[in-house]
């Protein structure tokens, strides 16, 4: 099995393109096949080197590695042109000297397809006249003569496909300026690279009968085709920038993990046939079979991406997250970030990563643990402090004294807090919630005893002291 990903470098790596690349890659890895990367750079007007770079970067980030390439379609120009001339020599294609605007006008007047008008004109022209015009240096395009009948192929996703050839136009295969056209170049390259399976987006489905006809005319065995349905936004419309980020690179910048992105992309239009959703790269490779690619479009659900990211984040070794978290923390607290103790930061990340959905969230949630004058969230104060500030202050004061006498371990601190709650006849929550606001400024945090241990004795007691001042200062 040999598969390929054939992006056109006319933009960044779009999530649709990334999914196409991933499906091909999964298929190759599962079957022990070869994954070829071919950059289709024949659109001189729209190609940019930086787009090629962005596409390769996106693939590397996702961990979609290629076995051969990157090849560039432009390297095959001579071969493409030679194949067009071969079809011409064999009578399977014809020269089109006509002026496109004139042909269009005639086609419209006669209610025909322009390529059939061009064909008529070519057939009406004697061989001598054609030779004379060629000798005179007149430019001409080469058009493929679509045979009568119908074209069938079996699609891996959609099953048996049939197209009436009368609906397929006589496509140009070599332009007047000698440059080849996508449909010929892609057939020539896929044959040259011995590609056995072409998995690509549904937007290419209308090209496939043309390509199948070209394979047959050139005498080449055609690959197996599979067309993957579109990706839609939550509103059911084709995914576009209106729905949010569509470039893979944007998700990298947002702190999405490549494992989560790969998992998410794999589930866009495919499923493993069981209940699993959170899957590693290895599990995906093992489970991927193209017969479970869905025929209907899939919805790009950002909420699901975020959830999957949280699941993968929790499973990611802290040591791998730490450099990125430190970098992002730096944006929030400046130079102090680089001075943070590695082990301590690791413990903080351990606590935060199980609840966060992105690396960015970890970095944001880390702030109150890093600076002592962190803000108190209004809602947290309203809920846990302000209903009765004096009682709250009294409880925190008692708690501070009890904790100060405790050994500073999770178990001992928990014992001290619960003992105090019991002696005072209040539920432990009446102490824990105000304490959490005092230590973190927030209503939600990792387990409070873990937080106490992480902050250490003196910082924890100082924070309770700061809360007492705040609670006893008239607003
Ligand atoms: N270069 C084409 C594109 O980016 C893909 C061609 C193909 O997969 O056959 O849409």
């Amino acid at each position: 099995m040999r598969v390929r990903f054939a992006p056109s470098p006319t933009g960044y790596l779009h999530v649709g393109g990334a999914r196409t690349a991933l499906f091909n890659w999964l298929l190759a890895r599962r079957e022990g096949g070869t994954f070829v990367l071919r950059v289709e750079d024949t659109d001189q007007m729209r190609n940019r080197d930086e787009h090629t770079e962005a596409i390769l970067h996106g693939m590397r980030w996702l961990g979609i590695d290629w076995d051969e390439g990157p090849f560039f379609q432009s390297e095959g120009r001579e071969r493409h042109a030679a194949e067009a001339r071969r079809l011409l020599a064999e009578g399977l294609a014809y020269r089109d000297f006509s002026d496109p605007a004139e042909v269009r006008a005639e086609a419209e007047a006669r209610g025909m397809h322009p390529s059939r008008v061009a064909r008529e004109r070519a057939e009406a022209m004697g061989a001598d006249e054609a030779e004379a015009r060629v000798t005179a240096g007149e430019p001409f395009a080469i058009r493929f003569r679509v045979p009568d009948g119908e074209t069938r192929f079996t699609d891996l996703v959609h099953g048996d496909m049939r197209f009436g050839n009368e609906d397929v136009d006589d496509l140009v295969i070599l332009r007047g300026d000698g440059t080849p056209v996508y449909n010929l170049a892609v057939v020539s390259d896929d044959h040259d690279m011995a590609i056995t399976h072409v998995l690509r987006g549904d937007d290419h489905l209308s090209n496939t009968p043309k390509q199948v006809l070209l394979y047959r005319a050139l005498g080449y065995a055609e690959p197996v085709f599979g067309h993957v349905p579109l990706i839609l936004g939550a509103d059911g419309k084709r995914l576009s920038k209106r729905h949010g980020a569509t470039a893979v690179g944007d998700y990298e910048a947002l702190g999405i993990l490549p494992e989560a992105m790969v998992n998410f992309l794999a589930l866009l239009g495919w499923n493993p046939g069981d209940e699993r959703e959170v899957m590693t790269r290895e599990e995906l490779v093992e489970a991927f079979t193209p017969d479970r690619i869905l025929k209907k479009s899939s919805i790009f659900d950002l909420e699901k991406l975020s959830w999957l990211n949280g699941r993968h984040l929790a499973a990611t070794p802290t040591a791998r997250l730490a450099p990125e978290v430190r970098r992002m923390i730096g944006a929030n607290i400046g130079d102090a970030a680089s001075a943070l103790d590695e082990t301590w930061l690791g413990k903080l990340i351990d606590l935060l990563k199980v609840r966060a959905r992105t690396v960015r969230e970890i970095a944001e949630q880390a702030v109150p643990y890093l600076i002592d004058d962190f803000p108190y969230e209004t809602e947290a104060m309203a809920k846990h402090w302000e209903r009765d500030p004096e009682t709250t202050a009294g409880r925190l004061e008692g708690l501070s004294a009890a904790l100060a006498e405790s050994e500073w371990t999770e178990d001992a601190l928990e014992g001290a807090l619960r003992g105090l709650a019991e002696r005072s006849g209040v539920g432990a929550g009446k102490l824990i919630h105000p304490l959490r606001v005092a230590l973190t400024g927030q209503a939600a945090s990792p387990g409070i005893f873990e937080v106490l241990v992480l902050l250490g004795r003196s910082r924890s007691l100082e924070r309770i002291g700061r809360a007492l001042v705040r609670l006893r200062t008239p607003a």
Side-chain angles (χ1 to χ4, degrees), residues 4 6-8 40 182 186 200 204:
R4 76 332 187 252
S8 301
E40 303 211 316
Y182 160 72
V186 83
R200 60 186 173 193
H204 283 289

Side-chain angles (χ1 to χ4, degrees), residues 137-457:
E138 234 183 273
F140 59 88
I142 298 181
R143 278 188 192 271
F144 176 60
R145 186 195 315 269
V146 171
D148 294 339
E150 66 172 9
T151 303
R152 294 185 185 193
F153 59 93
T154 305
D155 188 279
L156 273 179
V157 179
H158 299 282
D160 285 336
M161 303 295 287
R162 288 170 170 228
F163 290 83
N165 290 1
E166 64 282 5
D167 296 326
V168 183
D169 55 319
D170 281 359
L171 59 148
V172 170
I173 51 178
L174 192 67
R175 294 191 189 87
D177 63 4
T179 57
V181 173
Y182 160 72
N183 276 303
L184 177 69
V186 83
V187 166
S188 175
D189 289 353
D190 283 341
H191 169 73
D192 189 57
M193 296 173 187
I195 298 302
T196 59
H197 293 70
V198 170
L199 261 188
R200 60 186 173 193
D202 253 2
D203 47 334
H204 283 289
L205 199 47
S206 62
N207 283 320
T208 306
K210 300 175 192 172
Q211 293 174 15
V212 167
L213 287 168
L214 283 173
Y215 274 105
R216 294 174 186 171
L218 287 162
Y220 300 151
E222 66 219 45
V224 176
F225 291 96
H227 291 87
V228 185
L230 285 181
I231 302 175
L232 306 178
D235 57 0
K237 304 233 168 73
R238 188 177 179 155
L239 187 68
S240 76
K241 286 196 180 151
R242 279 181 303 113
H243 299 105
T246 54
V248 168
D250 293 338
Y251 291 98
E252 179 184 5
L254 285 170
I256 295 291
L257 295 166
E259 294 87 331
M261 197 72 202
V262 161
N263 190 168
F264 176 69
L265 291 171
L267 297 179
L268 280 176
W270 175 85
N271 66 64
D274 53 36
E275 294 300 299
R276 280 180 297 171
E277 291 210 286
V278 182
M279 295 176 78
T280 64
R281 192 183 300 274
E282 292 69 32
E283 288 167 340
L284 290 168
V285 167
E286 207 240 322
F288 190 83
T289 54
D291 59 338
R292 275 198 303 274
I293 296 175
L294 305 175
K295 285 193 181 59
K296 66 177 177 54
S297 314
S298 48
I299 303 282
F300 192 84
D301 179 357
L302 280 173
E303 194 43 45
K304 180 159 179 183
L305 172 59
S306 160
W307 174 75
L308 278 174
N309 202 60
R311 307 303 305 142
H312 283 276
L313 198 60
T316 303
T318 291
R320 223 193 87 194
L321 300 173
E324 183 67 0
V325 173
R326 193 188 285 274
R327 201 182 59 70
M328 287 188 177
I329 285 175
N332 291 328
I333 65 164
D335 288 348
S338 48
L340 284 173
D341 176 70
E342 185 82 37
T343 315
W344 188 85
L345 180 63
K347 285 186 187 148
L348 175 59
I349 296 173
D350 279 341
L351 293 189
L352 296 177
K353 74 177 184 186
V354 282
R355 281 167 196 79
R357 290 187 154 201
T358 60
V359 175
R360 185 174 299 271
E361 259 180 41
I362 296 182
E364 281 163 9
Q365 290 174 11
V367 171
Y369 301 87
L370 307 170
I371 57 171
D372 291 324
D373 58 347
F374 59 85
Y376 300 112
E377 279 176 5
T378 314
E379 270 177 38
M381 284 195 296
K383 198 160 171 210
H384 300 301
W385 279 9
E386 287 164 351
R387 290 201 184 129
D388 184 352
E390 194 37 55
T391 307
T392 305
R395 283 180 187 154
L396 279 178
E397 205 162 28
L399 181 58
S400 179
L403 296 178
E405 281 171 17
S406 167
E407 199 194 328
W408 213 261
T409 63
E410 281 175 41
D411 286 350
L413 291 164
E414 178 159 9
L417 183 140
R418 294 197 187 279
L420 174 66
E422 213 157 292
R423 287 196 302 284
S424 330
V426 296
K430 290 276 185 265
L431 299 175
I432 290 174
H433 296 306
L435 175 61
R436 175 170 286 126
V437 182
L439 296 178
T440 68
Q442 296 167 352
S445 79
I448 199 68
F449 305 108
E450 292 167 297
V451 170
L452 282 165
V453 170
L454 179 81
L455 288 171
R457 182 189 295 268

